[in-house]
């Protein structure tokens, strides 16, 4: 059987209260008992000392008649049994007359005959609790006997029982009130928890973006706010994921469809000449290159996002890296008679992942060449201070309208889709640049205007 959280909290409070009341009751009852006994003992001790003072002249000569009279008189007066002992243990006075003239061995009396005032409590099934008290009787410096008082203290037990009953009633009443209050307080706690549980269930069922209602400022309110924020982010990530899948599917479909058309054409009508065969193979190879580039870029993005491509930082000569990018893209630039100019200090060494940074700069320069006019220039520069490295790629191309700048780094986003496909672009190059720069803890920005060219700037911190 499942017990609700509120009931668990209520039962916990109930257990705590009963435990506290039990310990408190035991301690307070023990203290009350000792207080009552101590009070009774002090009263009896006063009586015993008075009796001892009166009996002192008569004990040396063992005047049994007077001592028995003294015991009976005080026994009747204080309502307790009084015995007067000689030093040899003989009872010379007994208010009850039961042990008159007998020799008794009583431990507290033996201690009193040694000069101590002693008391102790004893329990007997037939009589209940009795308090024994004995004081020595001295004549000068000599102990001549002892006074013994046996007091019935069952009235103390009855008073304690009454007090115990009152405490039990108080504890029971307090426990009931506390249990009801704890259920009320538990509801205040469990209602937000139930809302969070319901929200988590809805999210697990695919209802991303579900919001938890609640405005409290306590820890549960903060938890609800954090949950709502997480829910929004998951919803946004889900939208991005869905869009990514749709875009990737669309991009993969294009080369696959083109390949299917080319292959079907070959199956339906074999080439009649070597030139026609070469044309078909060239087209197929181009589509395969595009498909391979798309798959590789997608894999790289996936690895970067999962941090599978952990950075391998080492001091890298930035100028040498820029030169390598230029050399590898020289054929592409030469085809459009574009000059790549490098401006960078010879002594700039920066801790980066060389392969990653090379890929980022390569993508930017590749884009700059593709979107630059023939016989223009691409400027590749780098500067550094103690804290930051800056790499700039600036072209003299067609430029980008302001409304497109904020979306440039979005996956598969293309300003001019027809032109992108003509140049072999798939809309992932700038996304890869941004992910690589982010992995280095840096940032990438863009400045552009139609007809004024475009400049991309990478900024990387030293650490």
């Amino acid at each position: 059987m499942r017990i609700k959280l509120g009931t668990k909290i209520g039962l916990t409070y109930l257990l705590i209260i009963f435990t506290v009341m039990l310990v408190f009751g035991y301690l307070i009852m023990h203290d009350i008992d000792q207080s009552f006994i101590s009070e009774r003992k002090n009263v009896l001790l006063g009586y015993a000392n008075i009796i001892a003072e009166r009996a002192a002249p008569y004990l040396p000569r063992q005047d049994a008649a007077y001592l028995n009279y003294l015991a009976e008189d005080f026994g009747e007066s204080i309502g307790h049994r009084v015995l007067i002992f000689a030093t040899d243990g003989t009872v010379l006075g007994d208010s009850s007359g039961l042990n008159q003239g007998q020799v008794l061995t009583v431990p507290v009396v033996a201690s009193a005959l040694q000069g101590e005032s002693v008391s102790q409590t004893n329990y007997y099934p037939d009589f209940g609790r009795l308090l024994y008290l004995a004081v020595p009787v001295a004549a000068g410096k000599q102990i001549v006997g002892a006074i013994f008082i046996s007091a019935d203290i069952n009235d103390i037990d009855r008073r304690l029982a009454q007090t115990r009953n009152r405490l039990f009633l108080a504890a029971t009443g307090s426990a009931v009130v506390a249990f009801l209050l704890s259920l009320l307080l538990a509801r205040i706690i469990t209602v937000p928890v139930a809302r969070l549980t319901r929200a988590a269930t809805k999210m697990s069922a695919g209802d991303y973006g579900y919001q938890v209602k609640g405005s409290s400022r306590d820890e549960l309110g903060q938890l609800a706010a954090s949950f709502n924020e997480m829910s929004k982010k998951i919803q946004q990530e889900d939208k991005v994921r869905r869009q990514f899948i749709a875009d990737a599917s669309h991009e993969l479909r294009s080369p696959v469809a083109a390949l299917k058309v080319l292959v079907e054409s070959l199956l339906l009508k074999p080439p009649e000449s070597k030139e026609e065969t070469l044309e078909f193979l060239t087209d197929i190879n181009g589509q395969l290159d595009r498909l391979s580039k798309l798959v590789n870029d997608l894999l790289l993005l996936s690895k970067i996002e999962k941090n599978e491509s952990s950075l391998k930082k080492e001091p890298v000569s930035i100028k040498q890296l820029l030169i390598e990018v230029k050399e590898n893209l020289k054929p592409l630039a030469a085809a459009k008679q574009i000059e790549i100019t490098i401006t960078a200090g010879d002594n700039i060494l920066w801790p980066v992942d060389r392969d990653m940074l090379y890929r980022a700069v390569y993508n930017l320069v590749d884009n700059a060449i593709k979107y630059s006019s023939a016989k223009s220039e691409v400027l590749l520069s780098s500067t550094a201070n103690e804290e930051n490295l800056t790499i700039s790629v600036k072209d003299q191309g067609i430029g980008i309208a302001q409304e497109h700048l904020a979306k440039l780094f979005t996956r598969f986003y293309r300003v001019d889709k027809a032109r992108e496909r003509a140049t072999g672009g798939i809309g992932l190059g700038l996304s890869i640049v941004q992910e690589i720069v982010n992995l280095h803890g840096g940032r990438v920005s863009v400045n552009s205007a139609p007809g004024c060219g475009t400049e991309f700037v990478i900024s990387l911190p030293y650490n």
Side-chain angles (χ1 to χ4, degrees), residues 24-37 160:
F24 174 76
Y26 172 78
L27 294 176
I28 197 170
M29 292 302 294
H30 181 267
D31 288 344
I32 292 174
D33 182 48
Q34 294 301 311
S35 176
F36 284 165
I37 291 176
L160 288 175

Side-chain angles (χ1 to χ4, degrees), residues 64 162 197-198 310 322 408:
Q162 292 175 352
T197 303
R198 184 164 55 252
S310 56
L322 300 183
L408 277 182

Side-chain angles (χ1 to χ4, degrees), residues 138-142:
K141 295 183 179 181
Q142 184 178 2

Side-chain angles (χ1 to χ4, degrees), residues 189-441:
I189 296 173
T190 56
V191 167
V193 172
R195 289 175 182 165
L196 285 168
T197 303
R198 184 164 55 252
T201 302
K202 285 187 172 292
M203 284 191 66
S204 66
D207 188 3
Y208 305 125
Y210 186 87
Q211 298 290 293
V212 179
K213 296 180 181 179
S215 58
S216 61
R217 297 183 179 180
D218 56 11
E219 289 81 357
L220 288 173
Q222 293 175 1
L223 179 60
S226 298
F227 181 91
N228 290 338
E229 185 66 25
M230 178 192 68
S231 179
K232 289 179 182 178
K233 289 182 179 180
I234 291 176
Q235 185 181 40
Q236 293 170 358
E237 290 293 331
D238 185 59
K239 288 180 179 178
V240 172
R241 180 183 62 83
R242 290 175 184 271
Q243 186 62 44
F244 175 77
I245 292 173
D247 291 340
S249 299
H250 177 76
E251 293 298 330
L252 287 168
R253 189 182 302 118
S254 298
V256 170
L259 285 170
K260 183 174 178 60
V261 170
L262 289 169
V263 172
E264 285 179 348
S265 298
L266 287 172
L267 292 174
L268 291 173
K269 183 182 178 181
E272 296 179 354
S273 65
K274 183 177 180 181
E275 288 76 12
E276 190 177 354
T277 301
L278 184 60
E279 183 180 352
F280 268 106
L281 291 176
T282 301
D283 290 342
I284 290 174
N285 187 59
Q287 293 300 329
L288 288 173
D289 286 343
R290 184 181 176 196
L291 188 60
S292 176
K293 177 174 172 40
L294 175 59
V295 171
N296 288 335
D297 286 350
L298 288 173
L299 286 174
L300 178 60
L301 273 174
S302 178
K303 287 180 179 179
I304 292 174
E305 286 181 344
K306 294 179 180 178
N307 290 325
E308 289 180 4
S309 293
S310 56
L311 290 178
K312 299 176 182 178
K313 286 188 176 183
E314 58 181 349
V316 173
S317 170
I318 302 302
K319 184 175 182 178
Q320 185 61 38
L321 184 143
L322 300 183
I323 291 172
E324 289 183 23
V325 171
K326 175 183 176 180
E327 291 299 319
N328 288 325
L329 286 171
K330 187 178 287 186
L332 183 64
K336 298 179 68 175
Q337 297 181 348
I338 293 174
E339 181 67 27
I340 301 176
T341 303
I342 295 176
T343 304
D346 294 328
N347 299 322
I348 300 178
L349 292 175
W350 210 258
V352 295
D353 186 308
R354 193 183 191 287
D355 293 338
M356 286 284 190
L357 185 60
Y358 174 87
R359 178 63 182 269
V361 177
Y362 183 97
N363 284 3
L364 293 178
V365 177
D366 182 55
N367 276 357
I369 295 171
K370 289 176 180 178
Y371 299 109
S372 291
S373 304
K375 298 181 181 180
S376 61
E377 184 180 19
V378 173
L379 301 176
L380 190 53
S381 62
S382 176
T383 59
N385 55 33
E386 293 182 355
E387 297 179 354
N388 286 289
L389 167 70
T390 300
I391 298 174
S392 169
V393 179
K394 186 175 183 180
D395 63 44
Q396 298 171 347
I398 58 176
I400 304 169
Q402 188 69 31
E403 63 267 21
H404 296 295
L405 294 180
K407 302 178 183 178
L408 277 182
F409 298 99
T410 304
R411 295 171 186 176
F412 300 109
Y413 183 79
R414 290 188 289 264
V415 176
D416 185 343
K417 294 185 179 181
R419 183 178 177 88
E420 283 275 4
R421 288 195 174 94
T423 58
I426 58 176
L428 288 177
L430 293 179
S431 296
I432 291 174
V433 171
Q434 186 178 53
E435 293 293 341
I436 290 173
V437 171
N438 288 344
L439 205 58
H440 280 81

Side-chain angles (χ1 to χ4, degrees), residues 14 17-18 170-180:
L14 192 62
I17 289 172
F18 263 121
T172 303
S174 300
V176 171
V177 172
F179 181 70
L180 295 176

